Each structure stands twice: as C-alpha cells, then as structure tokens.
Amino acid sequence: MPQSSTLTLVRETELAHRVGEAVMMRLVNGSVVQILPPRAVLFEEGAEPEFVHLVLSGRVGLVASGGTAQEAVIEIFGAGSLLVVPAVILSLPYLVSGVVLAESRILLIRADLFRQVLDDEPTLARAVVDMQAQHWRLLIEQIKDLKLRDAPQRLAQWLLRELEGQVGHLIQISEPKRVVARRLGMSPESFSRAIAALEEGGAIRVDRRSITVVRRSALERAAGLLSA
C-alpha cells in the first residue's frame, strides 16, 4: 500500500477523478510505488506486461527500436498517464520500452488485478476507453506531423500542444534536447535549427531549457494553422 504522500498524488490523477475513491483503492491495494531516476527502464520492448504503470510525477518516454540499431522516441508522457494499457488488456508483448526521462514516481498496478477490476467496474472501463482514445488521437497527430510537416512546423505544433492546459506562456523542457528531437523525428542539429527559426521569427524566446511563447499567432502561423 503506498504511503499517504503518494496517495495524495494518486487522488489527484485524472483516473482517480474519473473512477472514484472505491475503485481507485481497489487498484491501489496490493500495488507498489517506485521512485526512479532518469534512464531507469520501466519495461522493455518485447516483454510480457506484468503491471499497468500510472505516472504520479515526472516524465516517461516510450522508446522503440523494432530490432534495429536505431531508437525512436514515440511519445513522452507526464503525471496522470497510464502507460501502454493495450498490452496489459490483450496480454501481448510491449511494442515499446518505457524509459524514465526525469525523476519519476510510478504506481505499479498488477496486470491481473487491473484486468479483474476492469471487468468488474464500468467506470474504469469507460475511463480507460477515453484515455486510450486520447492517446490514439495524439499518435495520429504525430503521424500527420511526420508525413505532412517540415521540422519547424512539427516543432511549432509540439510547442502548441505543450501549452495546452498550462497557465501563462512558459514551457519548461525537462528532457534532453536529443530526446525531444527524436520524439519529433529530427536530428539534434535539425531541432536546433528549427528552434532558431522560430526564435528569429518572433514566435518564441529561448533561455536554456525554458521556452516562452512571445507571439502565439506567430507560432500558429509557423505550425501551418494560420495563413501567412
């Protein structure tokens, strides 16, 4: 059973708000919490899932190699995210690895327990469907970015998504530049050039790992959402 400080974080997640206290406590009882440093591996591509991972704090990247020498960052998830639930539901191997990008607190819910509660509780089933639908839309947007947009457009789109749900215009980049570049399908050099192009265009101001959106309209134009 997690400690009280962790329970507070659990109760603040979107999942807890969606399913209610009783259902959330069914998932929490018997679960374990890990506090993990950057580069720790939560699960590996091709492994059989033993847990559902709920991110309580920090950032986790989904990384895939597909048996090649190259790695691609598929997506980056923060607090409140359930990671790769379809693998657990279907009892199939992971198609990606989960790698901690910033110190993270992770709730590990046993896969068998999760499937049992999913069968028993309609509120959990609906919450999982909704969250997976959000992930599906996110991945479709990513595919569109890679196929239809150049590097500055992809970066502008990503920055606009990072702004969603935030107060103000400041974006803190907690991941290394190479990780964000891989997520966007760029080399680090292309990423740096895209940042410079947006800064020169007056859309953003960069200070180390902080990016301030100076003119949202300019960022939307760079993303291809507004006509020039």
Side-chain angles (χ1 to χ4, degrees):
M1 180 79 171
Q3 297 178 351
S4 59
S5 60
T6 297
L7 282 175
T8 298
L9 292 175
V10 169
R11 291 185 173 114
E12 291 173 350
T13 62
E14 178 188 353
L15 182 65
H17 292 159
R18 294 288 303 272
V19 304
E21 181 81 3
V23 174
M24 202 66 211
M25 286 306 99
R26 283 192 66 186
L27 295 173
V28 167
N29 287 329
S31 299
V32 297
V33 175
Q34 292 184 336
I35 300 176
L36 298 168
R39 300 185 182 179
V41 177
L42 284 177
F43 48 85
E44 293 188 340
E45 185 177 351
E48 298 289 336
E50 297 180 0
F51 300 98
V52 169
H53 299 82
L54 175 60
V55 182
L56 301 179
S57 65
R59 303 272 277 183
V60 175
L62 301 184
V63 180
S65 65
T68 70
Q70 295 181 329
E71 279 189 345
V73 177
I74 305 302
E75 191 50 87
I76 298 170
F77 290 105
S81 300
L82 280 174
L83 302 179
V84 202
V85 174
V88 172
I89 294 174
L90 299 172
S91 298
L92 291 174
Y94 289 114
L95 297 177
V96 293
S97 298
V99 180
V100 175
L101 301 177
E103 182 175 273
S104 300
R105 187 177 300 227
I106 311 292
L107 180 69
L108 278 67
I109 305 167
R110 292 194 338 265
D112 61 335
L113 171 63
F114 187 85
R115 288 190 290 264
Q116 181 62 56
V117 180
L118 192 65
D119 286 341
D120 295 344
E121 302 287 352
T123 55
L124 178 61
R126 180 54 193 258
V128 168
V129 166
D130 289 350
M131 295 176 82
Q132 295 313 297
Q134 291 169 1
H135 291 176
W136 179 84
R137 289 181 61 84
L138 186 65
L139 291 175
I140 291 297
E141 283 293 335
Q142 186 184 144
I143 292 169
K144 288 168 60 178
D145 283 350
L146 292 172
K147 290 183 175 291
L148 301 174
R149 299 182 175 104
D150 60 20
Q153 285 180 317
R154 293 202 298 274
L155 176 59
Q157 285 273 357
W158 183 75
L159 290 172
L160 287 169
R161 283 196 288 267
E162 287 293 299
L163 269 184
E164 292 177 3
Q166 292 194 161
V167 177
H169 305 283
L170 181 66
I171 300 169
Q172 296 285 357
I173 308 297
S174 56
E175 297 81 26
K177 180 174 71 174
R178 59 178 174 76
V179 172
V180 178
R182 287 179 180 174
R183 156 61 182 85
L184 296 172
M186 306 178 195
S187 67
E189 294 77 18
S190 294
F191 179 78
S192 295
R193 287 194 295 270
I195 284 281
L198 292 179
E199 194 166 23
E200 289 169 8
I204 63 174
R205 184 174 62 250
V206 181
D207 181 12
R208 297 186 180 181
R209 293 199 174 194
S210 298
I211 297 177
T212 302
V213 177
V214 179
R215 290 170 53 213
R216 186 184 179 99
S217 61
L219 190 61
E220 291 175 344
R221 191 170 292 109
L225 301 179
L226 295 177
S227 57

